[in-house]
């Protein structure tokens, strides 16, 4: 993890408590740098809230919050198309159920390990609290790499994964969804296997389902749409809107595609998209239909884009999209993809706002560089909360056996994003950090979880 002076902004009286909790976290969770980073980020924001609420330092509240309620690790054996048996590792970390059933996605990517799942589950707990809905925090996944696998192999893997996972799920217990490498295709295979094992058509057990079998309209779009709606609010506080803004987006998956879609709808000029091999820059503006065709339909690589788009686009196999001058940037691929050097480049090129579509894509040093330069910075747990909020709306439809229209879900999503933005903005003001969305999001999320935990006793 990049070095940041620990707790340098904390009032003196809370320094020892926060420092002890952070050292204990390092000691108790060795070899989990992403988890350490996410805990550190939240702890560094908390001092003003602890001063206002001394009860938050009692009954081991913060220590309990950092320890997941349950961590499940399991073997996932499956056979590839040649009949060879392969073994992956499955995870589900049920982090905190104070506010509702554990809720959070499943990630299939070779980089997945316990520390990554814990960082995501920890973030998810506060994100879900920010939505104002009744969802607790959890996350899961596997080190399975879907890249290059046939549909049949992906299905067999999902079926084996669900053989163990199903016993931990339930609409009132734990409700997974997608994340990197898990789209509605994988949710379909998981749901089918759950139904087969349990003999129950129980849609509330997974979200991100297909529209015809219990899924919600607009869940596919929700994370990207919500991220851009949050960015729009951030710009509004500076007296600007999205019209004509030059925007760079990283990634070309679910979040990136629907961020590009909404930004374009609101008049912005989006010029980049990327994958883990390289990026494209298209000065004419990203051709959304072509991008969807390559990434969603063909499941291909972004390098295929320029030859099919024509002269306005080029592919850059090295470097990153943050080298491209922009008014606003939306990191929407993965954790720690925007470092301090990239942040300095963005600042030098006059960036006004950075909103995290992905989870923890900006390193702590990079956040520091951006905030010091007066760039509006929106943290992922607030910016990308639209996806899980729409998942909660899917759960609501499932429990009432209702099907809402696209416009209704989109309207609710817009209201939720506006509310999250205002909560973060006002909380930052209230605690003496005007304009600091990191402080606002961390304290507002923490306060809701903390109040619930205090009311429910030492459990
Ligand atoms: P997808 O699998 O649809 O797309 C992921 C994109 O990020 C791909 O373009 C992928 O490229 C790129 N990527 C993944 N890992 C890396 C890596 N290690 N280095 C560089 N690029 C990488 O995932 P999503 O769009 O769903 O998720 C993107 C981010 O948004 C994640 O941080 C996720 O946790 C977060 N998020 C997702 C939500 C959702 O509803 N889906 C909700 C809230 C947050 P490649 O194909 O080369 O791997
Ligand atoms: O990181 C996230 O918020 C997600 N991957 C979505 C979780 C969900 O349950 O919809």
């Amino acid at each position: 993890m990049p070095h940041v002076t620990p707790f340098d902004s904390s009032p003196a009286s809370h320094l020892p408590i926060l420092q002890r909790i952070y050292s204990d976290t390092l000691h108790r969770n060795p070899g989990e740098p992403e988890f350490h980073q996410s805990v550190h980020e939240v702890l560094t924001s908390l001092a003003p809230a602890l001063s206002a609420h001394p009860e938050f330092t009692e009954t081991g509240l913060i220590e309990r919050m950092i320890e997941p309620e349950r961590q499940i690790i399991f073997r996932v054996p499956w056979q590839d198309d040649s009949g060879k048996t392969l073994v992956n590792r499955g995870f589900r970390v049920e982090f905190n159920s104070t506010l509702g059933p554990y809720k959070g996605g499943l990630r299939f990517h070779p980089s997945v390990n316990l520390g990554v799942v814990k960082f995501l589950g920890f973030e998810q707990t506060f994100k879900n609290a920010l939505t104002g809905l009744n969802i607790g925090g959890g996350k899961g996944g596997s080190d399975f790499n879907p890249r290059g696998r046939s549909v049949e192999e992906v299905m067999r893997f999902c079926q084996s994964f669900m053989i163990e996972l199903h016993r931990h799920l339930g609409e009132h217990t734990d409700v997974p969804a997608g994340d990197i490498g898990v789209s509605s295709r994988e949710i379909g295979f998981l749901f089918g296997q759950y139904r087969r094992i349990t003999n129950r058509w129980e849609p509330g057990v997974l979200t991100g389902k297909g529209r015809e079998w219990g899924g919600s309209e607009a869940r596919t779009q929700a994370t990207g749409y919500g991220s851009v709606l949050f960015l729009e609010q951030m710009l509004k506080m500076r007296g600007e809107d999205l019209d004509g803004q030059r925007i760079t987006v990283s990634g070309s998956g679910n979040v990136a595609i629907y961020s590009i879609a909404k930004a374009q709808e609101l008049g912005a000029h989006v010029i980049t998209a990327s994958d883990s091999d390289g990026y494209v820059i298209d000065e004419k503006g990203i051709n959304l239909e072509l991008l969807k065709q390559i990434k969603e339909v063909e499941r291909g690589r972004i390098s295929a884009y320029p030859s099919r788009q024509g002269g306005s686009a080029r592919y850059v196999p090295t470097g990153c999209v943050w080298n491209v001058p922009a008014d606003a940037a939306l990191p929407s691929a993965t954790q720690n993809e925007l470092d301090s050097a990239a942040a300095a480049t963005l600042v030098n090129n006059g960036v006004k706002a950075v909103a995290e579509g992905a989870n923890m894509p900006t390193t702590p040093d990079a956040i520091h560089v951006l905030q010091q330069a007066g760039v509006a910075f929106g943290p992922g747990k607030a910016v990308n909360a639209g996806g899980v909020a729409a998942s909660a709306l899917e759960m609501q439809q499932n429990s009432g056996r209702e099907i809402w229209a696209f416009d209704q879900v989109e309207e609710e999503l817009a209201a939720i994003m506006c509310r999250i933005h205002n909560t973060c903005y006002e909380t930052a003001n209230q605690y003496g950090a005007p304009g600091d969305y990191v402080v606002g999001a961390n304290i507002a999320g923490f306060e809701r979880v903390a109040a619930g935990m205090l009311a429910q006793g030492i459990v």
Side-chain angles (χ1 to χ4, degrees):
M1 164 184 166
H3 179 73
V4 172
T5 314
F7 318 115
D8 50 0
S9 60
S10 308
S13 61
H14 291 110
L15 262 169
I17 300 165
L18 293 168
Q19 260 163 355
R20 177 187 50 75
I21 292 173
Y22 185 60
S23 326
D24 287 352
T25 303
L26 296 179
H27 182 68
R28 285 166 62 78
N29 305 278
E32 298 180 355
E34 293 88 357
F35 181 54
H36 303 160
Q37 183 179 333
S38 62
V39 169
H40 188 274
E41 195 235 74
V42 170
L43 291 182
T44 46
S45 298
L46 290 187
L50 303 186
S51 297
H53 298 277
E55 69 276 18
F56 289 163
T57 55
E58 292 160 13
T59 67
L61 184 97
I62 305 174
E63 292 88 335
R64 285 191 281 141
M65 224 181 254
I66 289 168
E67 185 71 17
E69 288 176 18
R70 191 174 297 107
Q71 305 178 53
I72 303 149
I73 304 180
F74 51 99
R75 179 173 69 200
V76 190
W78 59 284
Q79 285 186 316
D80 71 10
D81 287 341
S82 71
K84 185 174 167 210
T85 300
L86 298 160
V87 179
N88 284 101
R89 191 168 290 168
F91 301 90
R92 187 71 183 165
V93 173
E94 299 181 331
F95 224 104
N96 195 306
S97 60
T98 305
L99 301 178
Y102 308 108
K103 183 81 197 88
L106 297 172
R107 177 178 290 192
F108 292 170
H109 192 272
S111 63
V112 167
N113 57 42
L114 183 61
V116 167
V117 179
K118 280 167 69 180
F119 119 63
L120 290 162
F122 186 70
E123 284 282 297
Q124 196 82 47
T125 300
F126 302 105
K127 180 194 305 190
N128 294 4
L130 284 173
T131 66
L133 304 169
N134 282 120
I135 38 179
K139 200 83 186 189
S142 175
D143 57 0
F144 171 69
N145 186 359
R147 193 164 159 186
R149 291 293 173 193
S150 69
V151 181
E152 293 74 19
E153 287 176 322
V154 171
M155 181 177 71
R156 284 197 293 277
F157 176 81
C158 289
Q159 290 174 338
S160 180
F161 188 82
M162 188 50 98
I163 284 177
E164 173 56 34
L165 189 67
H166 88 277
R167 68 185 93 251
H168 307 288
L169 306 186
E171 65 172 315
H172 303 297
T173 308
D174 188 347
V175 185
D179 193 81
I180 291 177
V182 178
S183 63
S184 65
R185 178 182 75 173
E186 288 72 25
I187 295 294
F189 295 146
L190 293 164
F191 185 68
Q193 183 74 339
Y194 181 87
R195 188 169 55 73
R196 185 180 186 205
I197 296 168
T198 61
N199 194 30
R200 288 166 69 89
W201 192 80
E202 196 183 334
V205 85
L206 284 167
T207 62
K209 302 179 293 297
R211 165 74 177 68
E212 294 304 324
W213 39 278
S216 175
E217 291 283 9
R219 173 61 189 88
T220 304
Q221 292 82 357
T223 311
Y225 278 23
S227 298
V228 172
L229 294 174
F230 195 99
L231 172 63
E232 187 185 33
Q233 294 298 317
M234 287 166 65
L235 290 171
K236 195 169 144 197
M237 303 316 289
R238 306 188 149 212
E240 295 189 47
D241 60 24
L242 276 160
D243 195 31
Q245 304 280 2
R246 204 177 138 91
I247 295 188
T248 44
V249 171
S250 65
S252 51
N254 174 264
V255 179
I257 286 174
Y258 293 97
S259 296
I260 295 171
K262 181 52 82 178
Q264 290 180 340
E265 191 188 313
L266 295 174
H269 189 60
V270 186
I271 44 170
T272 65
S274 70
D275 59 24
S276 54
D277 295 336
Y279 70 93
V280 290
I281 167 161
D282 188 344
E283 284 295 347
K284 234 168 77 183
I286 292 290
N287 176 340
L288 187 63
E289 288 318 307
L290 175 58
L291 183 66
K292 282 170 135 178
Q293 175 64 28
I294 293 170
K295 300 305 291 194
E296 287 187 337
V297 180
E298 299 168 18
R299 291 176 177 267
R301 307 303 298 161
I302 200 79
S303 54
Y305 179 100
S307 63
R308 289 162 72 175
Q309 169 68 350
S312 63
R314 68 191 162 86
Y315 178 66
V316 186
T318 52
C320 63
V321 298
W322 318 125
N323 295 330
V324 179
D327 299 310
L330 284 165
S332 307
T334 195
Q335 60 270 14
N336 293 327
E337 55 163 312
L338 198 169
D339 63 14
S340 57
T345 306
L346 283 169
V347 169
N348 288 335
N349 287 331
V351 78
K352 293 180 271 197
V354 174
E356 293 188 321
N359 285 309
M360 210 169 76
T362 318
T363 67
D365 288 342
I367 296 173
H368 186 69
V369 169
L370 295 169
Q371 289 186 325
Q372 285 297 107
V375 175
F377 176 78
K381 61 171 74 72
V383 172
N384 69 41
V388 77
S391 279
L393 300 179
E394 183 169 325
M395 291 161 72
Q396 194 176 330
Q397 291 168 74
N398 292 153
S399 68
R401 298 234 189 274
E402 290 178 357
I403 298 175
W404 299 357
F406 190 98
D407 289 354
Q408 184 182 349
V409 181
E410 202 186 358
E411 220 170 274
E412 295 254 2
L413 173 67
I416 291 168
M417 293 317 299
C418 203
R419 207 168 61 215
I420 295 174
H421 172 272
N422 294 346
T423 300
C424 296
Y425 191 84
E426 285 156 17
T427 306
N429 269 344
Q430 182 191 338
Y431 285 101
D436 189 332
Y437 289 97
V438 175
V439 167
N442 284 336
I443 294 186
F446 173 84
E447 281 187 334
R448 187 162 179 242
V449 180
M453 287 179 73
L454 285 177
Q456 293 175 27
I458 301 174
V459 290

